[in-house]
Amino acid sequence: MIKLKNNTLGNGMPAIAVSFSNNCSVEEIKALKKQGLDIAEIRVDLFTGKIFAKNIIEELQKFGDLDVPTILTFRPKREGGNWGGSDAERVVIIAECYQYADIVDIETSSIHSLDCSEKFCQLANAILKSETQLLLSYHNFEKTPSLVAINHEIESAEVLLSAKADIVKVACQVDSNADRVVLTEMLLHSGDKNLVVIGMGGWGLITRLSFATYGSLFTFAYVGNTITAPGQLHIDATVAYLEDFYPAYTARK
């Protein structure tokens, strides 16, 4: 289990993360907390205007001041993000900000980056030694590989680090029931790993609601019109479904 501010993740109770750029007001955050927001993913690659560490820190602190745990994510285009700059620029910016976040998301592809593998490994190791949690993420927008292949991707990245990641996130395109079985098996055989597992696309939609049962730490929903991955539900729809599926979810309010 993971403790984030007033939230305990991994106890079978669903938690909802929402992605934000740099345009959410304090009033909107307060309203979203009442709607069901548990975790704010600050998507730096979606920021409007030039990106500075100062602006990122301000966004992280805005949510933190309202007791909303934050994930710092700076997603490159190869990972479905909006950042078209270099990995070298990205790693420097994250290094300047990570201590202000509760969790920092670093992709396995960044750990294996041709140009910046060493720098990302150094950054990840610094995060592992800090009070911030390291989330190591693997995304596949084309398919769900075999469980062996997914585990290899995670393990080949972790072996380059000084310790295992605090949280591992796996998000894959799901096109069949067999794909859902692969992701379910990953959760069922997770051992002591803290996992966030998501099936993307129409076939994967049910995983966004049901995987908390098997130990997935949180799911993602969207607000406004900002869908950041295929198959995401609006926060209102997500909350409504979770209230139907998890009686204790309603009782916690």
Coordinates of all heavy atoms in Angstrom, one line a residue, residues 110-156:
S110 N 12.4 6.2 -21.2 CA 13.3 7.3 -20.8 C 14.5 6.7 -20.1 O 15.7 7.1 -20.3 CB 12.6 8.3 -19.9 OG 11.6 9.0 -20.6
I111 N 14.3 5.6 -19.3 CA 15.4 4.9 -18.7 C 16.3 4.3 -19.7 O 17.5 4.2 -19.6 CB 14.9 3.8 -17.7 CG1 14.1 4.5 -16.6 CG2 16.1 3.0 -17.2 CD1 14.9 5.4 -15.7
H112 N 15.7 3.9 -20.8 CA 16.4 3.2 -21.9 C 16.8 4.2 -23.0 O 17.3 3.8 -24.1 CB 15.6 2.1 -22.5 CG 15.4 0.9 -21.6 ND1 16.5 0.2 -21.1 CD2 14.3 0.4 -21.2 CE1 16.0 -0.8 -20.3 NE2 14.7 -0.7 -20.3
S113 N 16.6 5.5 -22.8 CA 16.8 6.5 -23.8 C 18.2 6.5 -24.4 O 19.2 6.4 -23.7 CB 16.6 7.9 -23.2 OG 17.0 8.9 -24.1
L114 N 18.3 6.6 -25.7 CA 19.6 6.5 -26.4 C 20.5 7.6 -26.0 O 21.7 7.5 -25.8 CB 19.4 6.5 -27.9 CG 18.8 5.2 -28.5 CD1 18.6 5.4 -30.0 CD2 19.6 4.0 -28.2
D115 N 19.9 8.8 -25.8 CA 20.7 10.0 -25.5 C 20.8 10.3 -24.0 O 21.9 10.9 -23.6 CB 20.0 11.2 -26.2 CG 20.0 11.1 -27.7 OD1 21.0 10.5 -28.3 OD2 19.0 11.6 -28.3
C116 N 19.9 9.9 -23.2 CA 19.8 10.4 -21.8 C 19.6 9.3 -20.8 O 19.1 9.6 -19.7 CB 18.7 11.5 -21.7 SG 19.2 13.0 -22.5
S117 N 19.9 8.1 -21.1 CA 19.7 7.0 -20.2 C 20.4 7.2 -18.9 O 19.8 7.1 -17.8 CB 20.1 5.6 -20.8 OG 20.0 4.6 -19.8
E118 N 21.6 7.6 -18.9 CA 22.4 7.8 -17.7 C 21.8 9.0 -16.8 O 21.6 8.8 -15.6 CB 23.8 8.1 -18.0 CG 24.7 8.3 -16.8 CD 26.2 8.5 -17.1 OE1 26.5 8.5 -18.3 OE2 26.9 8.8 -16.1
K119 N 21.4 10.0 -17.5 CA 20.8 11.2 -16.8 C 19.4 10.8 -16.2 O 19.1 11.2 -15.0 CB 20.6 12.4 -17.7 CG 21.9 13.0 -18.1 CD 21.8 14.2 -19.1 CE 23.1 14.8 -19.4 NZ 22.9 15.9 -20.4
F120 N 18.6 10.0 -16.9 CA 17.3 9.6 -16.3 C 17.5 8.6 -15.2 O 16.8 8.7 -14.2 CB 16.4 9.0 -17.4 CG 15.6 10.1 -18.1 CD1 15.8 10.4 -19.4 CD2 14.5 10.7 -17.4 CE1 15.1 11.4 -20.0 CE2 13.8 11.6 -18.1 CZ 14.0 12.0 -19.4
C121 N 18.5 7.8 -15.3 CA 18.8 6.8 -14.2 C 19.3 7.6 -12.9 O 18.9 7.3 -11.8 CB 19.9 5.8 -14.6 SG 19.3 4.6 -15.7
Q122 N 20.1 8.6 -13.1 CA 20.6 9.5 -12.0 C 19.4 10.2 -11.4 O 19.3 10.3 -10.1 CB 21.6 10.5 -12.5 CG 22.9 9.9 -12.9 CD 23.9 10.9 -13.5 OE1 23.5 12.0 -13.9 NE2 25.1 10.5 -13.7
L123 N 18.5 10.7 -12.2 CA 17.3 11.4 -11.7 C 16.4 10.4 -10.9 O 16.0 10.7 -9.8 CB 16.5 12.0 -12.9 CG 15.1 12.6 -12.5 CD1 15.2 13.7 -11.5 CD2 14.4 13.1 -13.8
A124 N 16.2 9.2 -11.5 CA 15.3 8.2 -10.8 C 15.9 7.8 -9.5 O 15.2 7.7 -8.5 CB 15.1 7.0 -11.7
N125 N 17.2 7.6 -9.4 CA 17.9 7.3 -8.2 C 17.8 8.4 -7.1 O 17.6 8.1 -6.0 CB 19.3 6.9 -8.5 CG 19.5 5.5 -9.2 OD1 18.6 4.7 -9.1 ND2 20.6 5.4 -9.9
A126 N 17.9 9.6 -7.6 CA 17.7 10.7 -6.7 C 16.3 10.8 -6.1 O 16.1 11.0 -4.9 CB 18.0 12.1 -7.4
I127 N 15.3 10.5 -6.9 CA 13.9 10.4 -6.5 C 13.7 9.3 -5.5 O 13.1 9.5 -4.4 CB 13.0 10.3 -7.7 CG1 13.0 11.5 -8.6 CG2 11.5 10.0 -7.2 CD1 12.3 11.3 -9.9
L128 N 14.3 8.2 -5.7 CA 14.2 7.0 -4.8 C 14.8 7.3 -3.5 O 14.4 6.7 -2.5 CB 14.9 5.8 -5.5 CG 14.2 5.1 -6.6 CD1 15.1 4.1 -7.3 CD2 12.9 4.4 -6.1
K129 N 15.7 8.2 -3.4 CA 16.4 8.5 -2.1 C 15.6 9.7 -1.4 O 16.0 10.0 -0.3 CB 17.8 8.9 -2.3 CG 18.7 7.8 -2.8 CD 20.1 8.2 -3.1 CE 20.9 7.1 -3.7 NZ 22.3 7.6 -4.1
S130 N 14.7 10.3 -2.1 CA 13.9 11.4 -1.5 C 12.6 11.0 -0.9 O 12.3 9.8 -0.9 CB 13.7 12.4 -2.6 OG 12.7 12.0 -3.5
E131 N 11.8 12.0 -0.5 CA 10.5 11.7 0.1 C 9.5 11.5 -1.0 O 8.3 11.1 -0.8 CB 10.1 12.8 1.0 CG 10.9 12.8 2.3 CD 10.5 13.9 3.3 OE1 9.4 14.5 3.0 OE2 11.1 14.0 4.3
T132 N 9.8 11.8 -2.3 CA 9.0 11.7 -3.4 C 9.0 10.3 -3.9 O 10.0 9.6 -3.9 CB 9.4 12.6 -4.6 OG1 9.4 14.0 -4.1 CG2 8.5 12.5 -5.8
Q133 N 7.8 9.8 -4.3 CA 7.7 8.4 -4.8 C 8.1 8.3 -6.3 O 7.7 9.2 -7.1 CB 6.3 7.9 -4.7 CG 5.7 8.0 -3.3 CD 5.9 6.8 -2.4 OE1 6.5 5.8 -2.8 NE2 5.4 6.8 -1.2
L134 N 8.8 7.3 -6.7 CA 9.1 7.1 -8.2 C 8.0 6.2 -8.8 O 7.9 5.0 -8.3 CB 10.5 6.5 -8.3 CG 10.8 6.1 -9.8 CD1 10.9 7.4 -10.7 CD2 12.1 5.3 -9.8
L135 N 7.4 6.6 -9.8 CA 6.5 5.8 -10.6 C 7.1 5.5 -11.9 O 7.4 6.4 -12.7 CB 5.1 6.5 -10.8 CG 4.0 5.7 -11.5 CD1 2.6 6.2 -11.1 CD2 4.1 5.7 -13.0
L136 N 7.4 4.2 -12.2 CA 8.0 3.8 -13.4 C 6.9 3.3 -14.4 O 6.1 2.4 -14.0 CB 9.0 2.6 -13.2 CG 9.8 2.1 -14.4 CD1 10.7 3.2 -14.9 CD2 10.6 0.9 -14.0
S137 N 6.7 4.0 -15.5 CA 5.6 3.7 -16.4 C 5.9 3.0 -17.7 O 7.0 3.4 -18.3 CB 4.8 5.0 -16.6 OG 5.6 5.9 -17.3
Y138 N 5.1 2.1 -18.1 CA 5.2 1.5 -19.5 C 3.9 1.6 -20.2 O 2.8 1.3 -19.7 CB 5.6 0.0 -19.3 CG 5.4 -0.8 -20.6 CD1 6.2 -0.5 -21.7 CD2 4.4 -1.7 -20.7 CE1 6.1 -1.2 -22.9 CE2 4.2 -2.4 -21.9 CZ 5.1 -2.1 -23.0 OH 4.9 -2.8 -24.2
H139 N 3.9 2.2 -21.4 CA 2.7 2.4 -22.2 C 2.9 1.7 -23.5 O 4.0 1.7 -24.1 CB 2.5 3.9 -22.5 CG 2.4 4.7 -21.2 ND1 3.5 5.3 -20.7 CD2 1.3 5.0 -20.5 CE1 3.1 6.0 -19.6 NE2 1.8 5.8 -19.4
N140 N 1.9 1.0 -24.0 CA 1.8 0.5 -25.3 C 0.5 0.8 -25.9 O -0.5 0.3 -25.5 CB 2.0 -1.1 -25.3 CG 2.3 -1.6 -26.7 OD1 1.7 -1.3 -27.6 ND2 3.3 -2.5 -26.7
F141 N 0.5 1.7 -26.9 CA -0.7 2.2 -27.5 C -1.2 1.4 -28.7 O -2.2 1.7 -29.3 CB -0.6 3.7 -27.9 CG -0.4 4.6 -26.8 CD1 0.9 5.0 -26.3 CD2 -1.5 5.2 -26.2 CE1 1.1 5.8 -25.3 CE2 -1.3 6.1 -25.1 CZ -0.1 6.4 -24.7
E142 N -0.4 0.3 -29.0 CA -0.8 -0.5 -30.1 C -1.4 -1.9 -29.7 O -2.3 -2.4 -30.4 CB 0.5 -0.8 -31.0 CG 1.0 0.5 -31.6 CD 2.3 0.2 -32.5 OE1 2.7 -1.0 -32.5 OE2 2.8 1.2 -33.0
K143 N -0.9 -2.4 -28.6 CA -1.4 -3.8 -28.2 C -1.1 -4.0 -26.8 O -0.4 -3.2 -26.1 CB -0.7 -4.8 -29.1 CG 0.8 -4.9 -28.9 CD 1.5 -5.9 -29.7 CE 3.0 -6.0 -29.4 NZ 3.7 -7.1 -30.2
T144 N -1.5 -5.2 -26.3 CA -1.1 -5.7 -25.0 C -0.1 -6.9 -25.3 O -0.5 -7.9 -25.8 CB -2.3 -6.3 -24.2 OG1 -3.2 -5.2 -23.9 CG2 -1.9 -6.9 -22.9
P145 N 1.1 -6.7 -25.0 CA 2.1 -7.7 -25.2 C 1.9 -8.9 -24.2 O 1.0 -8.8 -23.3 CB 3.5 -7.0 -24.9 CG 3.2 -5.6 -24.9 CD 1.7 -5.4 -24.5
S146 N 2.6 -9.9 -24.3 CA 2.5 -11.0 -23.3 C 3.0 -10.5 -22.0 O 3.7 -9.5 -21.8 CB 3.4 -12.2 -23.8 OG 4.8 -11.8 -23.7
L147 N 2.6 -11.3 -20.9 CA 3.0 -10.9 -19.6 C 4.5 -11.0 -19.4 O 5.1 -10.2 -18.7 CB 2.3 -11.9 -18.6 CG 2.5 -11.6 -17.1 CD1 2.0 -10.1 -16.8 CD2 1.7 -12.6 -16.2
V148 N 5.1 -11.9 -20.1 CA 6.6 -12.1 -20.0 C 7.2 -10.8 -20.6 O 8.2 -10.3 -20.1 CB 7.0 -13.3 -20.8 CG1 8.5 -13.4 -21.0 CG2 6.5 -14.6 -20.1
A149 N 6.7 -10.3 -21.7 CA 7.3 -9.2 -22.4 C 7.1 -7.9 -21.5 O 8.0 -7.1 -21.4 CB 6.6 -9.0 -23.8
I150 N 5.9 -7.8 -20.9 CA 5.7 -6.6 -20.1 C 6.6 -6.6 -18.9 O 7.3 -5.6 -18.5 CB 4.2 -6.5 -19.6 CG1 3.3 -6.3 -20.8 CG2 4.0 -5.4 -18.6 CD1 1.8 -6.5 -20.4
N151 N 6.7 -7.8 -18.2 CA 7.6 -7.9 -17.1 C 9.1 -7.6 -17.4 O 9.8 -7.0 -16.7 CB 7.5 -9.3 -16.4 CG 6.2 -9.4 -15.6 OD1 5.7 -8.4 -15.0 ND2 5.6 -10.6 -15.5
H152 N 9.5 -8.1 -18.6 CA 10.8 -7.9 -19.1 C 11.1 -6.4 -19.3 O 12.2 -5.9 -18.9 CB 11.1 -8.6 -20.4 CG 12.4 -8.3 -21.0 ND1 13.6 -8.8 -20.5 CD2 12.8 -7.5 -22.0 CE1 14.6 -8.4 -21.2 NE2 14.2 -7.6 -22.1
E153 N 10.1 -5.6 -19.8 CA 10.3 -4.2 -20.0 C 10.5 -3.5 -18.7 O 11.3 -2.6 -18.6 CB 9.0 -3.7 -20.7 CG 9.0 -2.1 -20.9 CD 10.1 -1.7 -21.9 OE1 10.5 -2.5 -22.8 OE2 10.4 -0.5 -21.9
I154 N 9.7 -3.9 -17.7 CA 9.8 -3.2 -16.4 C 11.1 -3.6 -15.7 O 11.9 -2.8 -15.2 CB 8.6 -3.7 -15.5 CG1 7.3 -3.2 -16.1 CG2 8.8 -3.1 -14.1 CD1 7.1 -1.8 -16.3
E155 N 11.4 -4.9 -15.7 CA 12.6 -5.4 -15.0 C 13.9 -4.9 -15.6 O 14.9 -4.6 -14.9 CB 12.6 -6.9 -14.9 CG 11.5 -7.5 -14.0 CD 11.2 -9.0 -14.2 OE1 11.9 -9.6 -15.0 OE2 10.3 -9.5 -13.6
S156 N 13.9 -4.8 -17.0 CA 15.1 -4.3 -17.7 C 15.4 -2.9 -17.4 O 16.6 -2.4 -17.4 CB 15.0 -4.6 -19.2 OG 14.0 -3.8 -19.7

